[in-house]
Amino acid sequence: MIEQNKYCQFCGTHLVRKYDRSKMRSFCEACNVFKYVDPKVAVVAIVPSNNTILLIRRAIEPHLGKWSLPSGYVDRGESIENALVREVFEETTICASPHRYLGVFSGKGPVIVHVYVATHKSGTAKAAEEVSEIKWFELGKIPELPFPYDQEIMSAYKTYLHNL
Ligand SMILES: [Zn+2]
């Protein structure tokens, strides 16, 4: 679901829906302004090793207990590449660096996801922040991944491998 505020964050008035040119948006009749809701930006890392990739088991909501690709939100002012390095390190303690840009995935909710294939530079992966377990999974044995673009991401990764 796209997150929308119900009330104006400046004056507290209940927002109405109204056409802003061609698009229906939330509108504050007291402030006389449309409310634009920005997307969130996230980065996802596929870290391969031989025929495996690194997955983390989430120790936080959403999808607590599910296996997932290392990922996280990009901070304002931070480059996507730096966010990847930071998030992979925070979750797995390995140093990884972006290797190939796999693509951008958008349109399914509040988050726009940029995906890189990353190179494992140094360190041994272990469960760190917000992660309960870590494992290198063979590509044929990847568990069901919980986020909206995961299937598309894995399919883009297989195409990438095929074209190497
Ligand atoms: Zn208002």
Side-chain angles (χ1 to χ4, degrees), residues 7-13 15 28-33 35:
Y7 299 95
C8 176
Q9 67 270 46
F10 294 109
C11 73
T13 299
L15 300 174
C28 176
E29 290 177 318
C31 298
N32 196 33
V33 291
K35 298 295 180 176

Side-chain angles (χ1 to χ4, degrees), residues 8 25 40-41 43 56 68 82 97 105 126 129 145 154 159:
C8 176
R25 297 183 193 276
K40 297 271 287 176
V41 178
V43 64
I56 57 124
S68 155
N82 280 352
S97 65
F105 299 81
K126 53 176 189 268
E129 228 171 74
L145 302 174
M154 289 312 298
T159 304

Side-chain angles (χ1 to χ4, degrees), residues 21-133:
R21 288 160 295 179
S22 63
K23 192 165 179 181
M24 187 72 95
R25 297 183 193 276
S26 293
F27 182 80
C28 176
E29 290 177 318
C31 298
N32 196 33
V33 291
F34 282 102
K35 298 295 180 176
Y36 298 93
V37 183
D38 294 332
K40 297 271 287 176
V41 178
V43 64
V44 169
I46 296 180
V47 187
S49 175
N50 300 319
N51 199 30
T52 66
I53 61 168
L54 186 60
L55 297 185
I56 57 124
R57 192 165 204 167
R58 296 175 60 81
I60 50 159
E61 294 290 359
H63 304 301
L64 191 147
K66 294 278 177 61
W67 288 100
S68 155
L69 294 161
S71 63
Y73 290 117
V74 179
D75 289 325
R76 192 172 288 191
E78 180 181 45
S79 74
I80 300 219
E81 294 81 1
N82 280 352
L84 177 143
V85 172
R86 178 179 56 74
E87 287 288 350
V88 171
F89 181 76
E90 286 175 3
E91 293 181 345
T92 73
T93 76
I94 68 168
C95 290
S97 65
H99 174 61
R100 284 282 182 279
Y101 185 64
L102 202 60
V104 60
F105 299 81
S106 64
K108 282 191 178 174
V111 185
I112 293 174
V113 172
H114 293 271
V115 184
Y116 279 88
V117 179
T119 306
H120 179 190
K121 292 288 191 191
S122 62
T124 302
K126 53 176 189 268
E129 228 171 74
E130 301 172 347
V131 170
S132 63
E133 203 179 337

